Amino acid sequence: MAGRRRGLLIILDGLGDRPNPALDGETPLEAARTPNLDWLAAGGRCALVDPGMADRPVSTHSGAGVLLGVEPDDIRRLARGPVEAAGIGLDMADGDVAMRCNFATLERRDGALWVTDRRAGRIASETHDLASVLQNIALGDDISTSLYPATQHRAVLRLSGPGLSGAISDTDPGERTPLPAPVCASQPLNPDDPSALRTADALNRFSALAYERLRGHPLNDARRASGKAPATGIICRQAGTAATVPSLIGRIGLNTALVAGECTMLGLARLLGHTTITDVRFSSLPDTDLGAKVEAVRAALLNHDLVVLHIKGTDVCAHDRDSDGKRRFLERIDAALAPLLAEDLAKDLAGNLVIAVTGDHCTDSNSGVHINDPVPSLLFAGGKEVDTCETFGESQCAHGGLGVISGTTFLVSMLEAMGYLPHASA
Ligand SMILES: [Zn+2]
């Protein structure tokens, strides 16, 4: 249809931050020299985007899910387990339950299993061989399971069988529990839920069986001999059943591609039915090849209505409390975006491009944790709608023309600028 424009949605993970003494009281985004983002902010409208998860810490899949048009209530129901399963390309049948897992170091003490290292010494490549002894296991009660390795110490557990439920508690004692700590017995979230009780019992049988099969594995003997922590067990969290996820972008029928190097975002995009574009050069760290990602975006813009670019390293720097690293990485991102603003791109696209820049949540580089502050954001629609913001940063965006808005409203504003939704005032 005439009047429609293509869209580029850039999600910088953990973009927003708080003033940091190491940056003379500025945030990493304020302290960074970002002429391209400033140019977009000056020629567009800015906002603070509220991730709207006041009742819980916002995560990448919930924050990004809302930006991609999933209703906040639906994203709350979407467990991380199925997202990670989709992230590694795992097929899930209707009713299967998936959980995120770690290879961990467990020890038996007084008859119970205790966690001594939640990541088994950050084990990496050996997990493929270890997982091979945890395939097609019959757990009784018509329930079977297999474990699939993901990146580093991570894995996904799939439980299959009739009448399973994702409403069960974790066996992982959690990142904030001091170690050593006992492996938790999974329980139904509702004690009167028979499906959840069966599923939790099966998971507890898996925990014991995985320890028996892994503790004497020759690879673990070799790890012990070289002073490394053995991967003697599997701890699991965030169970959920496979589900199709409705979204505004899906309802409109936009042909959408995601360019990313991180499994959570790739999984979310697959569940939403988007094309996923990834490459060995795209990592989830600041060492990602930004030039290659931007080149992939340029190519994808030629045959998609909407392209989403996700960059994870901003969040990683903030988790490491490296505010200056986050500042420097933002400067590298800004420089890498230059080809998207070049004049020849407009010719390639035979029209204007709407560019939105935001984040899935804020990550505070003072404390190293996710915070629920609203995220500095901008919407550039070819210089046609502007506000008074001249640079891109938290303080400027607080006075942006779009105001303080939800992720859903930010997406709607972008789709309006692209010509897909009527302006509310029309
Ligand atoms: Zn995130």
Side-chain angles (χ1 to χ4, degrees):
M1 188 200 280
R4 287 194 168 165
R5 291 187 274 185
R6 300 218 163 161
L8 168 60
L9 172 60
I10 301 174
I11 300 177
L12 304 178
D13 207 293
L15 170 63
D17 211 307
R18 287 190 178 163
N20 197 302
L23 300 172
D24 290 332
E26 290 189 298
T27 69
L29 180 59
E30 288 168 349
R33 202 184 149 273
T34 53
N36 290 316
L37 290 169
D38 292 346
W39 183 80
L40 290 169
R45 288 174 296 164
C46 290
L48 286 178
V49 172
D50 185 347
M53 296 271 163
D55 55 333
R56 63 173 75 182
V58 65
S59 64
T60 296
H61 92 283
S62 56
V66 171
L67 291 170
L68 296 178
V70 181
E71 290 286 338
D73 282 347
D74 288 336
I75 207 75
R76 277 189 176 83
R77 279 192 287 272
L78 178 64
R80 184 78 174 266
V83 176
E84 297 300 317
I88 61 168
L90 187 60
D91 279 333
M92 297 269 290
D94 266 358
D96 283 357
V97 167
M99 302 193 77
R100 298 176 78 192
C101 307
N102 280 10
F103 280 87
T105 306
L106 308 189
E107 288 175 17
R108 194 173 280 289
R109 299 182 180 182
D110 302 327
L113 290 175
W114 286 66
V115 184
T116 57
D117 182 336
R118 284 186 68 256
R119 300 179 183 86
R122 293 199 175 269
I123 189 169
S125 54
E126 295 150 311
T127 58
H128 282 81
D129 285 334
L130 293 174
S132 68
V133 301
L134 298 172
Q135 299 303 304
N136 300 315
I137 299 170
L139 293 172
D141 217 8
D142 264 350
I143 300 170
S144 64
T145 192
S146 292
L147 184 82
Y148 300 88
T151 49
Q152 297 159 357
H153 54 275
R154 301 182 190 90
V156 175
L157 184 72
R158 183 180 63 195
L159 292 164
S160 305
L164 295 176
S165 165
I168 60 172
S169 65
D170 301 346
T171 63
D172 185 343
E175 213 162 1
R176 294 188 182 165
T177 304
L179 298 181
V183 174
C184 303
S186 181
Q187 313 266 0
L189 298 185
N190 170 359
D192 299 325
D193 177 348
S195 300
L197 182 61
R198 277 181 76 233
T199 312
D201 285 348
L203 180 63
N204 293 331
R205 291 194 290 276
F206 170 76
S207 291
L209 189 141
Y211 175 75
E212 292 308 324
R213 291 196 180 181
L214 291 175
R215 67 181 175 145
H217 194 287
L219 268 175
N220 277 327
D221 292 340
R223 284 182 71 81
R224 285 186 196 96
S226 59
K228 293 178 185 162
T232 44
I234 308 296
I235 50 176
C236 308
R237 61 194 185 278
Q238 296 168 312
T241 44
T244 49
V245 187
S247 79
L248 176 59
I249 289 173
R251 274 206 300 285
I252 297 175
L254 290 191
N255 178 9
T256 301
L258 170 93
V259 176
E262 198 227 7
C263 281
T264 304
M265 284 299 295
L266 291 166
L268 181 65
R270 286 186 188 121
L271 291 178
L272 293 173
H274 303 330
T275 303
T276 52
I277 299 170
T278 191
D279 186 294
V280 289
R281 292 171 294 174
F282 307 170
S283 82
S284 55
L285 297 170
D287 69 357
T288 192
D289 188 335
L290 292 168
K293 270 186 157 171
V294 167
E295 209 35 60
V297 165
R298 267 179 79 113
L301 279 168
L302 298 177
N303 52 6
H304 292 87
D305 304 316
L306 174 66
V307 176
V308 183
L309 168 63
H310 176 254
I311 298 175
K312 180 72 179 173
T314 32
D315 182 56
V316 174
C317 292
H319 279 302
D320 290 343
R321 301 187 191 185
D322 182 3
S323 57
D324 198 53
K326 188 171 177 182
R327 176 191 66 77
R328 283 183 272 118
F329 188 53
L330 282 163
E331 293 186 348
R332 286 180 45 222
I333 292 170
D334 186 83
L337 294 179
L340 295 171
L341 313 181
E343 279 179 22
D344 65 317
L345 184 72
K347 281 189 218 130
D348 286 352
L349 291 169
N352 287 323
L353 176 64
V354 173
I355 301 177
V357 182
T358 184
D360 50 347
H361 53 77
C362 296
T363 308
D364 180 8
S365 53
N366 296 283
S367 62
V369 298
H370 291 189
I371 48 174
N372 284 20
D373 291 2
V375 183
S377 305
L378 70 85
L379 179 62
F380 175 87
K384 294 187 176 59
E385 292 174 308
V386 298
D387 59 19
T388 57
C389 294
E390 294 292 332
T391 60
F392 189 45
E394 285 82 350
S395 341
Q396 285 271 319
C397 287
H399 307 288
L402 291 169
V404 182
I405 55 177
S406 67
T408 309
T409 304
F410 185 69
L411 175 66
V412 166
S413 302
M414 182 182 192
L415 295 172
E416 284 174 352
M418 290 166 63
Y420 281 92
L421 295 172
H423 275 73
S425 56

